[in-house]
PDB file of all heavy atoms in Angstrom:
ATOM      1  N   ILE M 148     -23.895   4.591  -9.237  1.00  0.00           N
ATOM      2  CA  ILE M 148     -23.862   5.937  -8.646  1.00  0.00           C
ATOM      3  C   ILE M 148     -24.370   5.824  -7.207  1.00  0.00           C
ATOM      4  O   ILE M 148     -23.796   6.387  -6.276  1.00  0.00           O
ATOM      5  CB  ILE M 148     -24.753   6.923  -9.450  1.00  0.00           C
ATOM      6  CG1 ILE M 148     -24.282   7.043 -10.897  1.00  0.00           C
ATOM      7  CG2 ILE M 148     -24.787   8.294  -8.765  1.00  0.00           C
ATOM      8  CD1 ILE M 148     -25.175   7.895 -11.779  1.00  0.00           C
ATOM      9  N   ARG M 149     -25.443   5.059  -7.043  1.00  0.00           N
ATOM     10  CA  ARG M 149     -26.086   4.928  -5.724  1.00  0.00           C
ATOM     11  C   ARG M 149     -25.113   4.412  -4.659  1.00  0.00           C
ATOM     12  O   ARG M 149     -25.077   4.926  -3.544  1.00  0.00           O
ATOM     13  CB  ARG M 149     -27.300   4.000  -5.831  1.00  0.00           C
ATOM     14  CG  ARG M 149     -28.109   3.881  -4.532  1.00  0.00           C
ATOM     15  CD  ARG M 149     -29.344   3.022  -4.725  1.00  0.00           C
ATOM     16  NE  ARG M 149     -29.038   1.662  -5.137  1.00  0.00           N
ATOM     17  CZ  ARG M 149     -28.626   0.697  -4.321  1.00  0.00           C
ATOM     18  NH1 ARG M 149     -28.474   0.939  -3.045  1.00  0.00           N
ATOM     19  NH2 ARG M 149     -28.361  -0.511  -4.783  1.00  0.00           N
ATOM     20  N   ILE M 150     -24.291   3.411  -5.041  1.00  0.00           N
ATOM     21  CA  ILE M 150     -23.406   2.830  -4.014  1.00  0.00           C
ATOM     22  C   ILE M 150     -22.050   3.527  -3.944  1.00  0.00           C
ATOM     23  O   ILE M 150     -21.241   3.227  -3.088  1.00  0.00           O
ATOM     24  CB  ILE M 150     -23.184   1.320  -4.251  1.00  0.00           C
ATOM     25  CG1 ILE M 150     -22.517   1.069  -5.603  1.00  0.00           C
ATOM     26  CG2 ILE M 150     -24.474   0.546  -4.117  1.00  0.00           C
ATOM     27  CD1 ILE M 150     -21.791  -0.254  -5.671  1.00  0.00           C
ATOM     28  N   SER M 151     -21.818   4.448  -4.863  1.00  0.00           N
ATOM     29  CA  SER M 151     -20.470   5.037  -4.952  1.00  0.00           C
ATOM     30  C   SER M 151     -20.178   5.956  -3.764  1.00  0.00           C
ATOM     31  O   SER M 151     -21.092   6.508  -3.155  1.00  0.00           O
ATOM     32  CB  SER M 151     -20.334   5.835  -6.251  1.00  0.00           C
ATOM     33  OG  SER M 151     -21.178   6.959  -6.192  1.00  0.00           O
ATOM     34  N   GLY M 152     -18.891   6.093  -3.519  1.00  0.00           N
ATOM     35  CA  GLY M 152     -18.432   7.025  -2.481  1.00  0.00           C
ATOM     36  C   GLY M 152     -19.117   6.779  -1.151  1.00  0.00           C
ATOM     37  O   GLY M 152     -19.493   7.734  -0.463  1.00  0.00           O
ATOM     38  N   GLY M 153     -19.314   5.506  -0.800  1.00  0.00           N
ATOM     39  CA  GLY M 153     -19.955   5.172   0.476  1.00  0.00           C
ATOM     40  C   GLY M 153     -21.364   5.742   0.559  1.00  0.00           C
ATOM     41  O   GLY M 153     -21.825   6.103   1.641  1.00  0.00           O
ATOM     42  N   GLY M 154     -22.044   5.843  -0.616  1.00  0.00           N
ATOM     43  CA  GLY M 154     -23.430   6.342  -0.630  1.00  0.00           C
ATOM     44  C   GLY M 154     -23.510   7.849  -0.810  1.00  0.00           C
ATOM     45  O   GLY M 154     -24.598   8.424  -0.834  1.00  0.00           O
ATOM     46  N   ARG M 155     -22.322   8.498  -0.964  1.00  0.00           N
ATOM     47  CA  ARG M 155     -22.338   9.958  -1.141  1.00  0.00           C
ATOM     48  C   ARG M 155     -21.801  10.375  -2.505  1.00  0.00           C
ATOM     49  O   ARG M 155     -21.740  11.549  -2.815  1.00  0.00           O
ATOM     50  CB  ARG M 155     -21.534  10.642  -0.030  1.00  0.00           C
ATOM     51  CG  ARG M 155     -22.209  10.548   1.327  1.00  0.00           C
ATOM     52  CD  ARG M 155     -21.983  11.832   2.122  1.00  0.00           C
ATOM     53  NE  ARG M 155     -22.942  11.966   3.201  1.00  0.00           N
ATOM     54  CZ  ARG M 155     -22.777  11.470   4.410  1.00  0.00           C
ATOM     55  NH1 ARG M 155     -21.687  10.802   4.688  1.00  0.00           N
ATOM     56  NH2 ARG M 155     -23.688  11.644   5.344  1.00  0.00           N
ATOM     57  N   CYS M 156     -21.409   9.448  -3.323  1.00  0.00           N
ATOM     58  CA  CYS M 156     -20.952   9.664  -4.696  1.00  0.00           C
ATOM     59  C   CYS M 156     -19.844  10.717  -4.828  1.00  0.00           C
ATOM     60  O   CYS M 156     -20.101  11.908  -4.737  1.00  0.00           O
ATOM     61  CB  CYS M 156     -22.113  10.054  -5.618  1.00  0.00           C
ATOM     62  SG  CYS M 156     -21.621  10.168  -7.346  1.00  0.00           S
ATOM     63  N   ASN M 157     -18.659  10.238  -5.054  1.00  0.00           N
ATOM     64  CA  ASN M 157     -17.541  11.135  -5.360  1.00  0.00           C
ATOM     65  C   ASN M 157     -17.682  11.455  -6.854  1.00  0.00           C
ATOM     66  O   ASN M 157     -17.122  10.797  -7.699  1.00  0.00           O
ATOM     67  CB  ASN M 157     -16.235  10.401  -5.048  1.00  0.00           C
ATOM     68  CG  ASN M 157     -15.002  11.182  -5.396  1.00  0.00           C
ATOM     69  OD1 ASN M 157     -13.918  10.615  -5.454  1.00  0.00           O
ATOM     70  ND2 ASN M 157     -15.146  12.471  -5.642  1.00  0.00           N
ATOM     71  N   PHE M 158     -18.505  12.502  -7.141  1.00  0.00           N
ATOM     72  CA  PHE M 158     -18.998  12.692  -8.515  1.00  0.00           C
ATOM     73  C   PHE M 158     -18.014  13.328  -9.484  1.00  0.00           C
ATOM     74  O   PHE M 158     -18.193  13.253 -10.689  1.00  0.00           O
ATOM     75  CB  PHE M 158     -20.332  13.452  -8.508  1.00  0.00           C
ATOM     76  CG  PHE M 158     -20.273  14.794  -7.815  1.00  0.00           C
ATOM     77  CD1 PHE M 158     -19.783  15.903  -8.458  1.00  0.00           C
ATOM     78  CD2 PHE M 158     -20.735  14.924  -6.507  1.00  0.00           C
ATOM     79  CE1 PHE M 158     -19.743  17.139  -7.822  1.00  0.00           C
ATOM     80  CE2 PHE M 158     -20.698  16.148  -5.855  1.00  0.00           C
ATOM     81  CZ  PHE M 158     -20.200  17.262  -6.515  1.00  0.00           C
ATOM     82  N   THR M 159     -16.983  13.967  -8.977  1.00  0.00           N
ATOM     83  CA  THR M 159     -15.927  14.475  -9.871  1.00  0.00           C
ATOM     84  C   THR M 159     -14.684  14.777  -9.037  1.00  0.00           C
ATOM     85  O   THR M 159     -14.674  14.600  -7.821  1.00  0.00           O
ATOM     86  CB  THR M 159     -16.361  15.718 -10.668  1.00  0.00           C
ATOM     87  OG1 THR M 159     -15.406  15.944 -11.732  1.00  0.00           O
ATOM     88  CG2 THR M 159     -16.447  16.974  -9.827  1.00  0.00           C
ATOM     89  N   ASN M 160     -13.656  15.248  -9.720  1.00  0.00           N
ATOM     90  CA  ASN M 160     -12.440  15.680  -9.035  1.00  0.00           C
ATOM     91  C   ASN M 160     -12.012  17.030  -9.605  1.00  0.00           C
ATOM     92  O   ASN M 160     -11.945  17.199 -10.823  1.00  0.00           O
ATOM     93  CB  ASN M 160     -11.325  14.657  -9.212  1.00  0.00           C
ATOM     94  CG  ASN M 160     -10.174  14.938  -8.270  1.00  0.00           C
ATOM     95  OD1 ASN M 160      -9.516  15.972  -8.377  1.00  0.00           O
ATOM     96  ND2 ASN M 160      -9.965  14.054  -7.321  1.00  0.00           N
ATOM     97  N   LEU M 161     -11.737  17.962  -8.718  1.00  0.00           N
ATOM     98  CA  LEU M 161     -11.375  19.324  -9.148  1.00  0.00           C
ATOM     99  C   LEU M 161     -10.162  19.329 -10.062  1.00  0.00           C
ATOM    100  O   LEU M 161     -10.028  20.195 -10.924  1.00  0.00           O
ATOM    101  CB  LEU M 161     -11.072  20.186  -7.912  1.00  0.00           C
ATOM    102  CG  LEU M 161     -12.269  20.625  -7.075  1.00  0.00           C
ATOM    103  CD1 LEU M 161     -11.797  21.351  -5.825  1.00  0.00           C
ATOM    104  CD2 LEU M 161     -13.207  21.505  -7.897  1.00  0.00           C
ATOM    105  N   GLY M 162      -9.284  18.353  -9.889  1.00  0.00           N
ATOM    106  CA  GLY M 162      -8.031  18.351 -10.660  1.00  0.00           C
ATOM    107  C   GLY M 162      -8.071  17.459 -11.884  1.00  0.00           C
ATOM    108  O   GLY M 162      -7.013  17.133 -12.432  1.00  0.00           O
ATOM    109  N   THR M 163      -9.258  17.068 -12.347  1.00  0.00           N
ATOM    110  CA  THR M 163      -9.326  16.105 -13.455  1.00  0.00           C
ATOM    111  C   THR M 163      -8.562  16.582 -14.691  1.00  0.00           C
ATOM    112  O   THR M 163      -8.750  17.704 -15.155  1.00  0.00           O
ATOM    113  CB  THR M 163     -10.795  15.852 -13.868  1.00  0.00           C
ATOM    114  OG1 THR M 163     -11.529  15.477 -12.717  1.00  0.00           O
ATOM    115  CG2 THR M 163     -10.881  14.737 -14.913  1.00  0.00           C
ATOM    116  N   GLY M 164      -7.728  15.694 -15.204  1.00  0.00           N
ATOM    117  CA  GLY M 164      -7.005  15.952 -16.446  1.00  0.00           C
ATOM    118  C   GLY M 164      -6.551  14.626 -17.018  1.00  0.00           C
ATOM    119  O   GLY M 164      -6.633  13.599 -16.333  1.00  0.00           O
ATOM    120  N   PRO M 165      -6.054  14.607 -18.257  1.00  0.00           N
ATOM    121  CA  PRO M 165      -5.683  13.337 -18.889  1.00  0.00           C
ATOM    122  C   PRO M 165      -4.653  12.543 -18.085  1.00  0.00           C
ATOM    123  O   PRO M 165      -4.626  11.309 -18.172  1.00  0.00           O
ATOM    124  CB  PRO M 165      -5.102  13.759 -20.237  1.00  0.00           C
ATOM    125  CG  PRO M 165      -5.454  15.180 -20.422  1.00  0.00           C
ATOM    126  CD  PRO M 165      -5.855  15.767 -19.114  1.00  0.00           C
ATOM    127  N   ALA M 166      -3.843  13.217 -17.260  1.00  0.00           N
ATOM    128  CA  ALA M 166      -2.803  12.519 -16.501  1.00  0.00           C
ATOM    129  C   ALA M 166      -3.396  11.569 -15.463  1.00  0.00           C
ATOM    130  O   ALA M 166      -2.686  10.719 -14.928  1.00  0.00           O
ATOM    131  CB  ALA M 166      -1.891  13.521 -15.806  1.00  0.00           C
ATOM    132  N   ASN M 167      -4.670  11.704 -15.170  1.00  0.00           N
ATOM    133  CA  ASN M 167      -5.307  10.857 -14.158  1.00  0.00           C
ATOM    134  C   ASN M 167      -5.949   9.607 -14.754  1.00  0.00           C
ATOM    135  O   ASN M 167      -6.750   8.947 -14.100  1.00  0.00           O
ATOM    136  CB  ASN M 167      -6.390  11.645 -13.409  1.00  0.00           C
ATOM    137  CG  ASN M 167      -5.904  12.974 -12.901  1.00  0.00           C
ATOM    138  OD1 ASN M 167      -6.341  14.029 -13.355  1.00  0.00           O
ATOM    139  ND2 ASN M 167      -4.948  12.933 -12.004  1.00  0.00           N
TER     140      ASN M 167
END
Side-chain angles (χ1 to χ4, degrees):
I148 300 175
R149 185 176 60 79
I150 61 157
S151 67
R155 290 216 161 88
C156 186
N157 177 195
F158 57 81
T159 194
N160 192 295
L161 286 175
T163 307
N167 310 113

